[in-house]
Amino acid sequence: MPDRPRRIPEATVTRLPIYLRILSELGGERGATVSSERLAELAGVNAAKVRKDLSYLGSYGTRGVGYEVEYLLFQVSRELGLTQDWPVVIVGVGNLGRALADYAGFTSRGFPVVALIDDDRSKIGTEHVGLTVQPVADLPRVVVERAVTIGVVATPPGAAQEVTDRLVSAGVTAILNFAPTVLTVPEGVSLRKVDLALELQILSFYQQHRESAPSASPARRT
Amino acid sequence: MPDRPRRIPEATVTRLPIYLRILSELGGERGATVSSERLAELAGVNAAKVRKDLSYLGSYGTRGVGYEVEYLLFQVSRELGLTQDWPVVIVGVGNLGRALADYAGFTSRGFPVVALIDDDRSKIGTEHVGLTVQPVADLPRVVVERAVTIGVVATPPGAAQEVTDRLVSAGVTAILNFAPTVLTVPEGVSLRKVDLALELQILSFYQQHRESAPSASPARRT
DNA sequence: GCATGTGAATAGATTCACAGCG
DNA sequence: CGCTGTGAATCTATTCACATGC
């Protein structure tokens, strides 16, 4: 009996999706294996890190051989909770919100977009990718009826916290924030952010310090 | 004479833009000050962390008082290299690329989008936000003529590495990658990524582990 | 023999707690 | 007195290096 209940470090969690992607690209025939060395190369990280990361999931490799791609793929998927769908609602149907709604990778990878929300009069009732834009007031009903667990916030910064509060009180327990604002959520709600301006400013820092400090560059792989 | 040459930790660099945003929102009258405690609250972090982060820039606070907002704002800006513009080229003019090109925050915050690149026949020559879409072959000229330093990769995953190589050989020294692929760049080139699927999968992990481990949630603030 | 799995060593980031100074 | 600035303590993550077992 494998001993499951290890606590997976946050840093490891952020890398699991990368391994997942690489494994699914490797695909290959049944029984194909991959070494930690090779996986590490493809993921742009250290091989020991790959082994330690994977060891948190269990002992899924074979000494002297490596990891069976298909089996490991399944185990990583399961650990990430990707054996089920997680319906998503997108709030804010501006340029970014629409681009996100269009993004096929969302739905195809287990995150079906089931509703679009916006309080702009001129947008309510319009259609995108087969969905009718609904007002914020519809959130409680939509969240319950469509079993929404993840809310994507793509509103202007001024509206983001209020929208988040509404999502949370409607029952959403995970938020992905694209608005350039610091959000606060209650204990127990997961929060991740994607901030374009912030990423550019980080790059700007390293540009700025390029001449003065020749090797002051950030991580070389993604 | 303030002693400049401290090496700023990467973790600190990623937080400077957050402080910057908060400081600029605080704005306020000339001479207004803010304490590390208050800054920390607004940034959703620990006050000691704020002080340590800011101390890497120099000694810009006043004991018993706090930090002068306007002065600190300038110092953080300067450290991030935001006292100058960093022209950006966007490669890949799909939904996401267009949304990025439209995103006013880019240009207004010192990252003017000076060119749009795509190798799709049907897109070359079309216009967006006053820019004509150009082929990849134009990169070397555009990068030199427009002094481009940052390349945004918004292509499908299959094209991302090739496009990146072209950007780098054209002279671009910082890459922001939106394609769901691991990119490799030469030593000395900065690389950051924004990966939507990855963020959703991380949230999925914490959703999955919600019942079983009540307090296994990630960072609560952004 | 060979690649995993993991203790031990190291490096890095966060937090504590308080001395120092306006 | 109050808040910064920072050594020291702690916690987290990474890397090394090798015993383990297929």
Side-chain angles (χ1 to χ4, degrees), chain A residues 31-115:
Chain A
T33 62
V34 64
S35 66
S36 61
E37 190 97 33
R38 179 86 180 111
L39 251 179
E41 189 192 331
L42 295 168
V45 301
N46 180 296
K49 197 188 274 182
V50 170
R51 292 201 295 278
K52 185 142 281 194
D53 282 346
L54 296 180
S55 77
Y56 290 116
L57 311 193
S59 213
Y60 297 139
T62 308
R63 289 163 199 244
V65 179
Y67 302 88
E68 203 207 312
V69 174
E70 206 173 340
Y71 182 56
L72 186 58
L73 186 59
F74 171 71
Q75 294 298 345
V76 176
S77 282
R78 196 169 52 79
E79 194 66 40
L80 284 172
L82 301 177
T83 50
Q84 67 179 279
D85 276 5
W86 299 100
V88 166
V89 56
I90 296 176
V91 186
V93 190
N95 285 321
L96 181 59
R98 277 196 304 275
L100 293 174
D102 288 348
Y103 178 47
F106 258 28
T107 297
S108 75
R109 284 169 180 273
F111 300 92
V113 178
V114 299

Side-chain angles (χ1 to χ4, degrees), chain A residues 209 212-213, chain B residues 1-8 55-58 60 78-79:
Chain A
H209 294 248
S212 21
Chain B
M1 190 195 299
D3 48 344
R4 307 273 41 273
R6 286 203 205 60
R7 169 67 111 268
I8 302 185
S55 78
Y56 291 116
L57 310 193
Y60 296 140
R78 196 169 52 79
E79 193 67 41

Side-chain angles (χ1 to χ4, degrees), chain A residues 87-183:
Chain A
V88 166
V89 56
I90 296 176
V91 186
V93 190
N95 285 321
L96 181 59
R98 277 196 304 275
L100 293 174
D102 288 348
Y103 178 47
F106 258 28
T107 297
S108 75
R109 284 169 180 273
F111 300 92
V113 178
V114 299
L116 301 177
I117 305 283
D118 202 306
D119 253 1
D120 182 332
R121 284 280 169 95
S122 65
K123 284 173 188 157
I124 295 172
T126 63
E127 294 234 342
H128 289 285
V129 290
L131 293 170
T132 306
V133 176
Q134 298 174 261
V136 174
D138 285 7
L139 267 181
R141 187 156 42 82
V142 167
V143 169
V144 172
E145 283 177 6
R146 311 297 315 259
V148 171
T149 46
I150 300 179
V152 172
V153 175
T155 66
Q161 183 62 59
E162 149 123 42
V163 153
T164 301
D165 295 345
R166 300 263 214 141
L167 282 166
V168 170
S169 60
V172 167
T173 49
I175 301 280
L176 181 53
N177 179 32
F178 285 87
T181 322
V182 177
L183 290 183

Side-chain angles (χ1 to χ4, degrees), chain A residues 189-208:
Chain A
V189 174
S190 314
L191 178 62
R192 304 272 315 172
K193 70 154 184 284
V194 170
D195 192 324
L196 310 185
L198 195 139
E199 295 297 331
L200 286 172
Q201 289 173 0
I202 294 169
L203 288 175
S204 166
F205 173 89
Y206 289 105
Q207 291 289 34
Q208 169 86 342

Side-chain angles (χ1 to χ4, degrees), chain B residues 7 12 17 21 26 39 41-42 46 48 53 79-80 82 87 113 121 126 141 148 171-172 187 195 219:
Chain B
R7 169 67 111 268
T12 295
R21 185 141 67 212
L26 283 175
L39 251 178
E41 188 192 330
L42 294 169
N46 180 295
D53 283 344
E79 193 67 41
L80 284 172
L82 301 176
V113 177
R121 285 280 169 92
T126 62
R141 187 157 40 83
V148 171
V172 167
E187 179 79 20
D195 191 323

Side-chain angles (χ1 to χ4, degrees), chain B residues 90-129:
Chain B
I90 296 177
V91 186
V93 191
N95 284 322
L96 181 60
R98 277 197 303 275
L100 293 174
D102 288 347
Y103 178 48
F106 258 29
T107 298
S108 74
R109 284 170 180 273
F111 301 93
V113 177
V114 299
L116 300 178
I117 305 283
D118 201 307
D119 252 1
D120 181 333
R121 285 280 169 92
S122 64
K123 284 173 188 158
I124 295 171
T126 62
E127 295 235 340
H128 288 286
V129 290

